[in-house]
Amino acid sequence: MSQPLRLGIAGLGTVGIGVVKIIRNHAELLAQRTGRPIVITAVSARSKGKDRGVPLGDYAWEDDPVALARREDVDVFVELMGGSEGAAKDATEAAIASGKDVVTANKALLAHHGQALALAAEATGHVIRFEAAVAGGIPVIKALTEGLAANEIGRVNYILTRMENAGLTYEEAFNEADGLGYLEADPNLDVGGIDAGHKLSLLAAIAFGTQVDFPSVELEGIGAITIEDIHQAADMGYKIKLLGVAQMTGRGLEQRMSPCLVPDTSPLGQLQGGTNMVVLEGDSVGQIVLRGAGAGEGPTASAVMGDVMDIARGFRVSTFGQPATTLRKARAARAAVPAPYYLRLQLQDKPGALAKVARVLGEAGISIDRMRQYGHQDTTAPVLIVTHKTTRSSLDEALSGMATTGVVEGAPVAIRIESV
Ligand SMILES: NC(=O)c1ccc[n+]([C@@H]2O[C@H](COP(=O)([O-])OP(=O)(O)OC[C@H]3O[C@@H](n4cnc5c(N)ncnc54)[C@H](OP(=O)(O)O)[C@@H]3O)[C@@H](O)[C@H]2O)c1
């Protein structure tokens, strides 16, 4: 058997400990499949004394992840700390400068610095692998860069659940997801859609051969959506999902991540819990649907180990599926495909209020498909409107028009309805 592949793991949280467990529990299987033992030589985290539920005494400890990244007895630096700046970036740069391959689960780091890091790694013949950074356990990066490599990709859809655990408040739903290790350390990354946007920008780079362009992702978080919306949507036969779409059009690269309503009987509507789904459209293959756990200890560690095993086997693919020097800068285009929308407004209980709202919609060229008014809350009443197909820019025009009617309280909630 060949020389062992020696790992240095920085970050011993949900994912890091998951990786340690796989290496301990499956040592023989990993060695059989790759032809060489995969061993951990050193680890790093913030607090050395923390009980992490697995024995770590066999591994050297480094307080400083940069020192870990530079160790001579480390072949592959496994970055599982998180964050786009600070320790994760410094240590990844140090690993590359020391001539090591890198495996990371860190979408924030790559969404912000992926191009520069890939250029640096590839300049010295090294790789950065990041399967775990997108869609947890689903091997979507491998699907795009290997199995579908001969296809021109038309569109990437990325769907996350976690929005509508029936009957739970957001706090309860988030606490539950947190307990399962599904949530990001900073919940704002989840609620603001930023984390999902990071992932979409990475998928788009691989799918379209473009440089990662996270700042151009049109992001809409789930912060404005209430449990009320979830119930109303269910009442009308819909579920709320976070949906990402990336596609290359004649106008440029469209990337949008936003909450959407989908029919509850559709495949997307049936997704539960922490399940993610990625739908890829290739010119030769047609549509490919990948579905599985999008987060959590086991699934994410499984993806990290897939990357580690590729390196152990000597299998090397450029970070974004083609040399970073050949990735084009994409022209960003705003998504313009029309769709019906769900609107929830808090309307003042005044004669003619509804007519004013209908007029503003009409002036923006938007017609109403369905409308419902619910019980009064003091001097206002919630009104739900489902529009016929319209563009986001017409809708934005109508929403700013509503602010001037004097009968709409607060900002209306607008959610796109997808017929997928
Ligand atoms: N959790 C998931 O389901 C999931 C899914 C996909 C991708 N990811 C990504 O995987 C990465 C890790 O996520 P996680 O959920 O495992 O996070 P986590 O549970 O919060 O663990 C982070 C680990 O990094 C260590 N750490 C943080 N800052 C450090 C520093 N400056 N120096 C040394 N160690 C430091 C922490 O040390 P202490 O333990 O001592 O505090 C902890 O062990 C992130 O990039 C995340 O986006 C996570």
Side-chain angles (χ1 to χ4, degrees):
M1 198 167 277
S2 322
Q3 288 289 310
L5 183 77
R6 300 165 305 173
L7 310 184
I9 302 178
L12 297 169
T14 304
V15 185
I17 289 300
V19 168
V20 172
K21 284 183 189 165
I22 293 181
I23 291 171
R24 295 182 72 89
N25 298 339
H26 284 330
E28 201 176 325
L29 181 138
L30 303 182
Q32 278 165 358
R33 290 188 177 161
T34 62
R36 59 195 289 199
I38 294 177
V39 299
I40 301 169
T41 42
V43 295
S44 175
R46 266 182 306 227
S47 32
K48 187 174 180 184
K50 206 189 239 180
D51 177 10
R52 300 174 191 274
V54 286
L56 298 168
D58 291 348
Y59 319 133
W61 177 274
E62 292 281 359
D63 285 323
D64 178 6
V66 171
L68 176 82
R70 291 195 180 125
R71 281 178 72 105
E72 289 203 346
D73 57 1
V74 165
D75 302 312
V76 179
F77 177 63
V78 184
E79 189 282 299
L80 303 172
M81 295 179 286
S84 62
E85 312 298 324
K89 179 165 178 273
D90 296 345
T92 301
E93 287 172 346
I96 293 167
S98 317
K100 301 186 194 321
D101 294 317
V102 174
V103 174
T104 180
N106 190 336
K107 53 245 151 195
L109 177 71
L110 292 176
H112 289 280
H113 306 293
Q115 178 67 14
L117 291 171
L119 283 171
E122 290 170 20
T124 56
H126 289 89
V127 294
I128 302 174
R129 305 295 305 262
F130 61 96
E131 185 68 75
V134 182
I138 303 174
V140 60
I141 309 285
K142 271 183 168 292
L144 277 171
T145 55
E146 297 173 36
L148 306 180
N151 285 260
E152 189 172 343
I153 302 294
R155 179 177 159 123
V156 175
N157 278 2
Y158 178 38
I159 305 98
L160 295 90
T161 48
R162 142 178 337 159
M163 301 278 316
E164 76 314 287
N165 286 13
L168 295 180
T169 63
Y170 265 109
E171 225 159 286
E172 287 164 344
F174 278 125
N175 287 343
E176 186 188 279
D178 201 16
L180 294 170
Y182 282 177
L183 279 194
E184 289 300 306
D186 175 359
N188 283 329
L189 293 181
D190 277 314
V191 179
I194 296 169
D195 176 61
H198 286 154
K199 298 176 190 175
L200 186 72
S201 69
L202 297 176
L203 286 179
I206 299 173
F208 305 114
T210 50
Q211 294 179 17
V212 188
D213 185 12
F214 167 67
S216 299
V217 179
E218 286 178 52
L219 270 188
E220 234 179 275
I222 57 175
I225 297 172
T226 64
I227 197 76
E228 239 358 80
D229 292 312
I230 292 173
H231 288 147
Q232 305 304 359
D235 228 30
M236 293 190 295
Y238 293 108
K239 286 197 168 169
I240 303 183
K241 304 284 176 198
L242 197 52
L243 177 70
V245 179
Q247 60 187 343
M248 189 58 86
T249 68
R251 295 173 301 106
L253 176 62
E254 296 181 0
Q255 303 178 88
R256 101 181 124 78
M257 180 55 78
S258 56
C260 291
L261 292 188
V262 297
D264 57 12
T265 49
S266 67
L268 292 192
Q270 310 264 308
L271 286 184
Q272 296 290 339
T275 313
N276 282 192
M277 192 156 123
V278 188
V279 183
L280 305 169
E281 285 168 17
D283 60 350
S284 301
V285 75
Q287 194 179 73
I288 294 281
V289 179
L290 301 167
R291 174 184 164 153
E297 179 185 301
T300 313
S302 154
V304 170
M305 286 310 297
D307 283 344
V308 167
M309 289 170 77
D310 271 353
I311 293 172
R313 289 165 164 146
F315 178 65
R316 311 174 82 76
V317 180
S318 307
T319 309
F320 294 103
Q322 64 186 62
T325 48
T326 67
L327 295 165
R328 291 172 294 122
K329 247 188 181 346
R331 183 154 48 97
R334 207 178 160 173
V337 183
Y341 277 83
Y342 158 101
L343 302 178
R344 177 172 54 79
L345 347 154
Q346 202 63 28
L347 204 60
Q348 285 184 2
D349 191 14
K350 285 183 185 163
L354 210 49
K356 282 189 181 175
V357 166
R359 193 170 60 241
V360 166
L361 286 169
E363 281 166 5
I366 301 173
S367 56
I368 295 174
D369 178 26
R370 276 186 279 167
M371 191 162 65
R372 278 189 193 178
Q373 189 158 10
Y374 284 84
H376 290 192
Q377 298 170 352
D378 304 327
T379 57
T380 64
V383 172
L384 306 182
I385 297 172
V386 174
T387 73
H388 283 294
K389 277 188 181 179
T390 182
T391 59
R392 182 73 217 193
S393 55
S394 299
L395 189 79
D396 286 344
E397 184 189 325
L399 293 178
S400 42
M402 281 182 200
T404 64
T405 57
V407 296
V408 177
E409 299 254 315
V413 170
I415 311 175
R416 194 181 160 92
I417 300 177
E418 291 281 351
S419 53
V420 273

